[in-house]
């Protein structure tokens, strides 16, 4: 799962989760940003592509490192 969270003063404003597939806001300002970002199809598809570009690319390396440590 790919999660991208946005914080200000240790307060989480907005989060993108690849399992949900969209942004979710946790404050009034975060909800407005989430609505704006969810309506931007190109930005939303770029965030969805981050799972393949970042997580799936590195998972084998992380998995191998975990197995050698245990």
């Amino acid at each position: 799962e790919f999660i991208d969270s946005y914080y200000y003063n240790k307060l989480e404003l907005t989060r993108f989760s690849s399992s949900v597939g969209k942004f979710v806001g946790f404050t009034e300002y975060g909800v407005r940003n989430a609505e704006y970002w969810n309506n931007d199809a190109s930005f939303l598809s770029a965030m969805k592509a981050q799972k393949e570009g970042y997580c799936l690319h590195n998972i084998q390396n992380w998995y191998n490192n975990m197995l050698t440590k245990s």
Side-chain angles (χ1 to χ4, degrees), residues 14-46:
T14 310
R15 176 190 303 166
F16 175 83
S17 175
S18 64
S19 62
V20 176
K22 66 178 185 174
F23 287 92
V24 177
F26 297 104
T27 63
E28 182 181 342
Y29 179 70
V31 169
R32 285 197 315 255
N33 280 335
E35 289 175 4
Y36 178 75
W37 291 335
N38 287 333
N39 289 328
D40 186 354
S42 63
F43 186 60
L44 198 58
S45 64

Side-chain angles (χ1 to χ4, degrees), residues 1-5 12 15-19 47 55:
E1 181 178 14
F2 175 76
I3 297 176
D4 190 18
S5 297
E12 187 173 21
R15 176 190 303 166
F16 175 83
S17 175
S18 64
S19 62
M47 292 303 292
C55 295

